[in-house]
C-alpha cells in the first residue's frame, strides 16, 4: 500500500513538474492597427467609441509617448520587427527592395527568428474563427527579402496547441479607405488647426474616427476569443499602431501626428507583473517602437541580441529611461523627402535635408485617397486659408523646425529661429547629428531619381507593393 501511494505521489509530482515545464513563459499577442494616431477614447478623443481598448487600458498600462521609427508602414514595420532603425538596416525608403534580393545585415534578424530560437511558436494570423466574421490582413510589408518562412502559421486555431506562442493580428480599418459604420457626428469632431474647417475635412475626420470605433469592436472579439479558448490568463496582449494617423500632415511626415501612436499592454493574471509595469496606470516615459522587440524577448526569457538598437523597458533588465526618441522619413512612393527628427520630454526638432521640395510635392497616393489634400490646394489658390493652414502651401519647407509640445501640441509655431530657443535648437541638433552618425544612417545618399520615379522597383513589371503580406511558402531563389 505504501509502495502504491509512493508511486501515485511521484506520478502526481512528475505530472505537475511536466505541466509547469510545458508552460513556464507567457504567450505574447500583438494587435497592430494601421495608420492610427492616439485618437481613442482612453487618450481623450471624443466622437470615437472604443470601450474595449479603454477597458484594456484601465486594467493594463497606457503609454502616452510611444513613437514609431518612421511615419509610414514599411520602414516602420521593418524597424519594429527587427528592433533596428530602418535607416540603420537600409530599409528606410517606403516599399523598397521588393525585387532586388536585398537582405538584412549580418547579426540582424526578424523577431520571429529570435523567438523560434527561444522555443516559441510564431504566427501572423489571417484565419480566425468563422463566427468572428473577419480575417487578419497578414501584413508584413518589410523592405528586405526574407528567405524561408517568417512565421510558422497564419491560423488562430493553431495557437492553443502550440504554446508558448508569439503571434500578431493586423487590422486594416484605419488605413484608407476607412472601414467602419457611420457614427461620429462631423459637426462635433475636433479638427487640428492646420486643416481648414470645411465640410470635407469634418466628414473625412469623422470617417477616420468611425474606423477606429470599428477597429475597437474587432479588438473586443479577439479578446473574447482569447478568453473562450482559455488563453487570456497566460497571454501578454500588446496593442499599438504601425505609424501615425492617415491624414494630410500625419502619415509620411515627422510631426507628432505622423509618429506618435497608441500603446496599451495588458498583463496576464497567471504571471507576476514585471518591474516598471503597474496595472491600471499611465506611463509617460519616452519609448520607441523598436523597444518592443528586446522587451518581449526578455519577457520570453531570451537574451537581447547584441546588435539590436531598441532597449528593454520592462523588467529587471530595463534600461534607463530614454532622453530622446528619433524618427526618419525618406522616399514614399514616388515622392522624395529626407527628414530626420528628435524629440525629448518637451520639444520636437526636425531637420529637413530637402527643403527645396514643397509640402505638397506630387504624390499619387495622397492625391487619390486624401480628399483634404486637393481641398487645401484649391482653397490656397483662392486665398481662403488662414496663415497656419497656408504655411503648408509654401513653395519650400523650413530647413529646421522646433516645436514646444507643452505649449503648442499641434506644432504650428516654429521656434527654430527664436533667440530664446537657441540653446534648445543647438542641443537637439547635436543629438540628432550624433544619432545619424552613430546609427550609420543609410539615407544620407538619396536613391537615383529614376529609381524613385519607379517607386523603388528595379525590374520591368515588378510590383512595388509585393511583399505586403505574410508568405508561408518560401520565395523562389534569386
Amino acid at each position: 500500500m505504501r509502495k502504491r501511494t509512493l508511486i501515485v505521489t511521484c506520478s502526481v509530482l512528475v505530472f505537475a513538474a511536466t505541466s509547469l515545464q510545458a508552460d513556464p513563459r507567457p504567450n505574447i499577442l500583438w494587435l497592430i492597427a494601421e495608420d492610427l494616431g492616439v485618437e481613442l477614447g482612453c487618450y481623450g478623443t471624443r466622437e470615437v467609441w472604443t470601450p474595449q481598448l479603454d477597458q484594456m487600458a484601465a486594467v493594463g498600462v497606457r503609454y502616452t509617448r510611444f513613437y514609431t521609427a518612421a511615419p509610414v508602414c514599411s520602414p516602420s514595420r521593418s524597424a519594429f520587427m527587427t528592433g533596428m532603425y530602418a535607416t540603420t538596416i537600409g530599409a528606410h525608403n517606403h516599399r523598397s527592395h521588393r525585387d532586388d534580393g536585398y537582405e538584412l545585415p549580418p547579426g540582424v534578424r526578424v523577431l520571429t527568428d529570435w523567438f523560434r530560437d527561444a522555443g516559441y511558436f510564431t504566427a501572423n494570423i489571417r484565419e480566425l474563427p468563422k463566427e468572428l466574421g473577419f480575417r487578419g490582413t497578414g501584413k508584413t510589408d518589410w523592405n528586405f527579402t526574407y528567405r524561408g518562412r517568417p512565421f510558422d502559421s497564419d491560423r488562430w486555431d493553431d495557437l492553443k496547441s502550440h504554446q508558448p506562442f508569439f503571434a500578431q493580428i493586423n487590422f486594416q480599418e484605419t488605413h484608407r479607405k476607412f472601414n467602419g459604420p457611420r457614427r461620429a457626428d462631423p459637426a462635433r469632431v475636433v479638427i487640428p488647426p492646420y486643416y481648414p474647417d470645411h465640410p470635407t475635412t469634418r466628414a473625412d475626420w469623422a470617417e477616420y474616427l468611425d474606423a477606429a470605433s470599428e477597429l475597437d469592436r474587432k479588438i473586443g472579439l479577439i479578446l473574447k476569443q482569447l478568453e473562450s479558448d482559455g488563453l487570456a490568463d497566460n497571454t501578454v496582449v500588446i496593442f499599438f499602431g504601425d505609424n501615425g494617423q492617415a491624414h494630410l500632415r500625419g502619415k509620411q511626415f515627422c510631426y507628432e501626428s505622423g509618429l506618435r501612436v497608441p500603446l496599451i499592454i495588458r498583463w496576464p493574471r497567471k504571471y507576476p507583473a514585471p518591474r516598471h509595469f503597474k496595472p491600471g496606470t499611465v506611463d509617460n516615459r519616452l519609448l520607441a517602437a523598436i523597444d518592443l522587440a528586446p522587451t518581449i524577448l526578455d519577457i520570453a526569457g531570451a537574451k537581447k541580441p547584441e546588435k539590436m538598437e531598441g532597449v528593454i523597458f520592462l523588467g529587471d533588465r530595463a534600461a534607463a529611461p530614454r532622453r530622446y526618441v528619433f524618427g526618419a522619413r525618406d522616399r514614399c512612393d514616388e515622392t522624395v523627402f529626407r527628414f530626420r527628427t528628435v524629440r525629448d520630454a518637451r520639444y520636437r526638432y526636425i531637420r529637413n535635408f530637402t527643403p527645396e521640395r514643397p509640402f505638397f510635392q506630387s504624390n499619387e497616393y495622397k492625391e487619390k485617397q486624401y480628399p483634404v489634400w486637393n481641398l487645401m490646394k484649391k482653397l490656397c489658390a483662392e486665398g481662403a486659408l488662414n496663415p497656419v493652414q497656408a504655411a503648408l502651401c509654401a513653395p519650400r519647407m523650413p530647413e529646421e523646425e522646433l516645436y514646444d509640445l507643452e505649449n503648442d501640441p499641434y506644432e504650428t509655431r516654429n521656434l527654430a529661429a527664436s533667440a530664446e530657443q537657441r540653446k534648445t535648437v543647438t542641443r537637439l541638433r547635436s543629438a540628432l547629428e550624433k544619432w545619424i552618425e552613430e546609427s550609420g544612417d543609410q539615407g544620407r545618399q538619396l536613391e537615383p531619381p529614376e529609381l524613385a520615379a519607379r517607386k523603388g522597383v528595379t525590374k520591368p513589371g515588378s510590383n512595388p507593393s509585393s511583399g505586403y503580406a505574410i508568405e508561408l511558402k518560401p520565395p523562389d531563389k534569386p
Side-chain angles (χ1 to χ4, degrees), residues 65-69 85 256 259 285-291 321-328 340-345 347-349 405 428 431-432 435:
R65 293 172 174 173
F66 179 70
Y67 294 88
T68 57
Y85 293 109
E256 290 284 294
L259 293 167
R285 285 179 293 170
L286 285 171
L287 298 176
I290 62 170
D291 297 340
R322 283 181 175 272
R323 186 180 182 189
Y324 302 118
V325 289
F326 300 94
R340 298 295 181 265
T341 185
V342 57
R343 78 148 287 178
D344 63 10
Y347 296 96
R348 174 170 296 283
Y349 170 82
L405 300 174
L428 293 176
L432 187 66
W435 171 72

Side-chain angles (χ1 to χ4, degrees), residues 29 52 125 127-134 156-157 159-160 169 217-232 235 266:
L29 176 63
Q52 304 300 329
I125 304 298
E127 298 299 328
L128 291 159
K130 287 185 178 179
E131 56 269 25
L132 297 191
F134 70 96
W156 176 272
D157 288 346
L159 298 183
K160 191 172 183 178
I169 305 175
R217 183 187 73 84
K218 292 183 176 179
I219 294 288
L221 293 175
I222 295 297
L223 296 179
K224 184 177 180 180
Q225 190 67 44
L226 205 64
E227 195 81 43
S228 298
D229 290 347
L231 296 170
T235 301
R266 190 183 78 177

Side-chain angles (χ1 to χ4, degrees), residues 355-385:
E356 72 285 355
R357 299 169 184 259
F359 179 92
F360 277 105
Q361 186 182 180
S362 179
N363 182 270
E364 183 182 8
Y365 160 68
K366 288 204 167 184
E367 288 167 2
K368 289 181 177 180
Q369 298 285 344
Y370 288 57
V372 180
W373 177 277
N374 296 314
L375 171 69
M376 285 198 71
K377 290 194 290 184
K378 176 179 178 292
L379 295 179
C380 182
E382 295 171 354
L385 299 176

